[in-house]
Amino acid sequence: MNHWTTKAFLLVVALLCGCELIVRVCFARSMSGRFEYGYNPASGFREKTDGTVHLVRAGGRRFHPQSFARKRPDGVFRIMVIGDSVPRGPSLQRAYAHRVGELLRAQGAQAESFNLAVPGYGARRNQIVLRQALKYQPSLIILHLNGSNEFEDERDWQRAREFQSWHPRNWPMKSLLLRRLHEMKTERLFWRWLPQEIRSEGAANDAGDEIAAAHDPEKTRRWKDLVHKKTAEDVALARQAQVPLLLLTQARCERRPEGSAVLDDHGLDSMARSLAGETVSHLSMKEVLAGTDPEKLFADGSHLRDEGHDWLARAIVAKLRREGLIRSAQ
């Protein structure tokens, strides 16, 4: 009996080793940075030998697939939009980043716009994307400030640190195969095969943790301070690189007790105004959308419908024209 148990054990080990080898040889590149959850600076930026850069869904960054020349063409106004799921939009073509480029070109400008927004990204990870984006000679960075994703940033920062740690409990995760199996669980790729009560419990736990954190005064204060600190650092980085920065502050559509919908910036407008100045502009969604029917422009409390993205794109283009920022491409 022990003889057969030993053979079975060795067979399992051999199969695991074989699978591990296949993963490392065939899939290592596609998994590069995946377990750093967006804290790897180059994740999602794939630079080619022909001088092009491809934005891909990799390394914890679900970029819309796009490509551009690493060196900005002469005379071209290059816009890069950084933020979370709101500026990312329902699709590449329907998001305001794409629409801004279309409007500028329709007005005769040589312009290109790229959407570098990633769902769930807060101030920490947006700054990492900003640092990488500044390497590609943007004429303007639009930094969409939200302030509602710091729970995700902190959670994934802890996950990234755990995967990097050599604590004995993390040794199995040094295997790319086991890492991917673990990631499939966090991505819930096989939830449809689990009993409903297990899926419900998992979803409730995730939502419960976030709701509890959002109602913790100490955490919310710390996150608000972090957003201010990181945004101030973003301003300094853009100024150091001599790249104009537009701080676009999120407004949320909230319903009053009597049923009417109102827009609330949750203090982001005052923070952005305090940081605006030389080469740094501010555009408030709350002010841009004032006087509109928010329910026609918002799909939910934060995300915009197509009409909302169009409205915001027109406001951005008007801002660029009004302040002469579009001429900085020369």
Side-chain angles (χ1 to χ4, degrees):
M1 184 68 177
N2 289 336
H3 175 70
W4 285 107
T5 302
T6 302
K7 289 181 65 176
F9 174 76
L10 292 175
L11 179 61
V12 170
V13 171
L15 287 172
L16 288 175
C17 289
C19 291
E20 178 71 16
L21 180 62
I22 292 172
V23 169
R24 288 187 176 273
V25 171
C26 300
F27 303 104
R29 181 176 180 181
S30 65
M31 295 176 68
S32 175
R34 176 188 293 275
F35 302 101
E36 293 176 72
Y37 297 97
Y39 284 97
N40 182 315
S43 291
F45 294 89
R46 190 161 294 169
E47 298 186 3
K48 299 292 188 178
T49 56
D50 62 359
T52 60
V53 179
H54 294 261
L55 300 180
V56 297
R57 295 183 179 125
R61 292 207 181 121
R62 287 185 287 147
F63 285 138
H64 287 304
Q66 300 156 83
S67 62
F68 53 87
R70 194 182 196 286
K71 181 180 179 181
R72 174 168 55 87
D74 293 339
V76 171
F77 190 83
R78 172 174 287 177
I79 301 172
M80 291 184 167
V81 178
I82 298 171
D84 60 7
S85 58
V86 177
R88 187 177 192 271
S91 70
L92 177 63
Q93 286 73 25
R94 295 162 64 191
Y96 72 75
H98 182 82
R99 184 72 176 129
V100 165
E102 286 186 328
L103 289 171
L104 288 174
R105 289 190 294 274
Q107 295 175 10
Q110 288 185 281
E112 57 184 15
S113 59
F114 301 101
N115 191 332
L116 278 65
V118 182
Y121 269 28
R124 283 177 175 169
R125 288 186 286 189
N126 281 336
Q127 185 176 107
I128 297 173
V129 175
L130 171 66
R131 288 179 182 273
Q132 188 71 18
L134 289 172
K135 297 179 180 180
Y136 303 122
Q137 303 179 330
S139 306
L140 172 72
I141 294 284
I142 298 177
L143 181 60
H144 191 116
L145 301 177
N146 197 332
S148 63
N149 294 311
E150 306 319 305
F151 171 85
E152 289 87 346
D153 261 17
E154 188 167 297
R155 178 198 61 198
D156 288 347
W157 171 244
Q158 293 300 326
R159 286 178 176 175
R161 292 180 64 186
E162 287 176 4
F163 275 122
Q164 293 171 0
S165 168
W166 281 96
H167 190 283
R169 71 170 178 268
N170 294 321
W171 287 353
M173 294 298 101
K174 300 305 176 183
S175 160
L176 290 184
L177 175 64
L178 295 180
R179 277 188 175 191
R180 185 56 188 137
L181 292 174
H182 173 80
E183 189 72 2
M184 287 172 66
K185 183 191 73 171
T186 63
E187 292 173 350
R188 300 177 180 176
L189 295 181
F190 47 71
W191 265 39
R192 58 182 172 177
W193 292 297
L194 295 177
Q196 178 61 40
E197 57 270 19
I198 295 178
R199 295 201 301 270
S200 299
E201 181 180 354
N205 288 341
D206 285 349
D209 289 345
E210 185 165 2
I211 291 172
H215 286 82
D216 183 328
E218 175 60 26
K219 283 190 175 182
T220 54
R221 182 197 61 77
R222 178 162 54 84
W223 288 339
K224 185 176 181 179
D225 291 344
L226 178 66
V227 170
H228 196 162
K229 176 186 175 183
K230 290 296 181 183
T231 306
E233 292 173 356
D234 295 339
V235 168
L237 287 169
R239 282 180 173 152
Q240 184 180 15
Q242 299 182 330
V243 174
L245 180 68
L246 175 61
L247 301 175
L248 200 165
T249 45
Q250 173 75 24
R252 298 179 215 171
C253 180
E254 301 181 353
R255 191 170 294 281
R256 289 174 172 169
E258 67 271 19
S260 61
V262 295
L263 297 176
D264 194 334
D265 65 282
H266 290 268
L268 290 174
D269 282 359
S270 61
M271 181 196 74
R273 279 194 292 266
S274 72
L275 296 172
E278 184 182 358
T279 71
V280 178
S281 302
H282 169 230
L283 186 64
S284 164
M285 275 181 60
K286 181 179 177 181
E287 294 176 0
V288 166
L289 303 180
T292 66
D293 181 356
E295 293 185 318
K296 291 183 178 179
L297 302 179
F298 282 81
D300 54 28
S302 299
H303 298 87
L304 296 168
R305 301 181 190 275
D306 290 355
E307 295 86 346
H309 280 281
D310 287 342
W311 195 288
L312 199 52
R314 290 193 295 270
I316 292 170
V317 170
K319 176 86 170 175
L320 299 183
R321 291 294 188 188
R322 187 167 58 251
E323 299 193 2
L325 291 173
I326 188 67
R327 291 195 296 272
S328 65
Q330 302 300 325

